[in-house]
């Protein structure tokens, strides 16, 4: 089967007749963590060779299954890093809420496309069942559904987001 690309060998970009500047990049990659790039470097052609953009950092800890806008403005992205339990099959979260104030009364609602849930990756219901043996969620979420990040922001405790790759985000 396909083994992917060697480090620093895969790239994709744009060419234009005249020089131009890139100030923002939107990236959407697969939801399957084992098939994602975890880091990316925005490079620019200097006339002779490709060089790392001086205006953009190396993008690290990239996720998948949702659009990411890079570079993100300072404090434009927040996340909870959850390590799987030792010997566990990954991480699942039924609900999570973020608030604008310290007394947790001013809820920040997920609202696509302006406030997008982002994640490390996510599994389908069937992938969760195959890897963990847990299938009770089929009756509520469906066997062919995805445990995508919006599920953790939908206000429903019987749905959930799950990443079963089993590796640190």
């Amino acid at each position: 089967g396909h083994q992917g690309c060697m480090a620093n060998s895969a790239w994709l970009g744009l060419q234009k007749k005249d020089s131009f500047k890139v100030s923002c990049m939107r990236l959407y990659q697969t939801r399957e963590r084992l098939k994602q790039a975890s880091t990316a470097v925005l490079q620019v052609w200097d006339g002779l060779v490709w060089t790392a953009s001086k205006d953009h950092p190396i993008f690290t800890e990239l996720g998948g299954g949702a659009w990411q806008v890079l570079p993100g403005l300072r404090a434009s992205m927040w996340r909870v890093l959850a390590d799987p339990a030792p010997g566990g099959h990954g991480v699942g979260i039924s609900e999570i809420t973020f608030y604008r104030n310290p007394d947790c009364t001013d809820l920040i609602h997920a609202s696509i496309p302006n406030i997008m849930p982002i994640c490390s990756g996510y599994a389908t219901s069937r992938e969760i069942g195959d890897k963990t043996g847990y299938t009770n969620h089929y009756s509520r979420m469906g066997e062919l559904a995805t445990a995508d990040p919006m599920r953790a922001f939908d206000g429903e405790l019987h749905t959930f987001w799950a990443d079963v790759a089993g590796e640190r985000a």
Side-chain angles (χ1 to χ4, degrees), residues 31-33 64 89 91 119-129 131-132 137 141-149 151 160-165:
R31 65 172 180 77
E32 299 173 74
R33 190 132 40 112
H89 295 290
V91 174
C119 66
S120 54
Y122 60 91
T124 65
S125 285
R126 186 172 289 159
E127 289 166 342
I128 295 164
K131 184 160 186 180
T132 68
H137 61 291
M141 291 174 58
E143 188 173 349
L144 302 177
T146 59
D148 61 79
R151 303 269 188 178
F160 55 89
W161 160 79
D163 182 343
V164 294

Side-chain angles (χ1 to χ4, degrees), residues 14 19 22 32 39 54 77 111 121 136 152:
L14 288 174
S19 65
V22 172
E32 299 173 74
T39 62
K54 293 182 177 109
M77 294 185 279
S111 175
N136 291 343

Side-chain angles (χ1 to χ4, degrees), residues 15-151:
Q15 181 177 6
K16 188 177 168 187
K17 186 176 181 179
D18 301 315
S19 65
F20 63 102
K21 181 176 175 138
V22 172
S23 298
C24 176
M25 175 178 73
R26 292 186 63 200
L27 175 71
Y28 188 104
Q29 60 179 346
T30 181
R31 65 172 180 77
E32 299 173 74
R33 190 132 40 112
L34 297 176
K35 296 179 182 176
Q36 294 173 1
S38 61
T39 62
V41 177
L42 188 59
Q43 295 182 320
V44 61
W45 183 251
D46 74 0
L48 297 173
V49 296
W50 290 101
T51 60
S53 168
K54 293 182 177 109
D55 297 328
H56 300 89
I58 294 174
F59 303 118
T60 61
E61 302 181 45
L62 299 175
W67 283 103
Q68 288 185 273
V69 178
L70 303 168
L73 297 175
R74 186 178 303 259
S76 69
M77 294 185 279
W78 292 80
R79 72 178 189 179
V80 171
L81 177 63
D83 288 330
H89 295 290
V91 174
I93 296 177
S94 293
E95 283 298 307
I96 188 168
T97 51
F98 293 99
Y99 297 86
R100 289 180 182 87
N101 58 353
D103 63 350
C104 293
T105 57
D106 190 6
L107 178 66
I108 301 170
H109 293 279
S111 175
I112 298 170
N114 298 320
I115 303 175
M116 278 294 283
I118 58 174
C119 66
S120 54
Y122 60 91
T124 65
S125 285
R126 186 172 289 159
E127 289 166 342
I128 295 164
D130 290 347
K131 184 160 186 180
T132 68
Y134 177 77
T135 58
N136 291 343
H137 61 291
Y138 289 177
S139 64
R140 294 261 171 81
M141 291 174 58
E143 188 173 349
L144 302 177
T146 59
D148 61 79
M150 191 63 195
R151 303 269 188 178

Side-chain angles (χ1 to χ4, degrees), residues 145-158:
T146 59
D148 61 79
M150 191 63 195
R151 303 269 188 178
F153 293 90
D154 64 6
E156 303 289 335
L157 291 176
H158 63 271

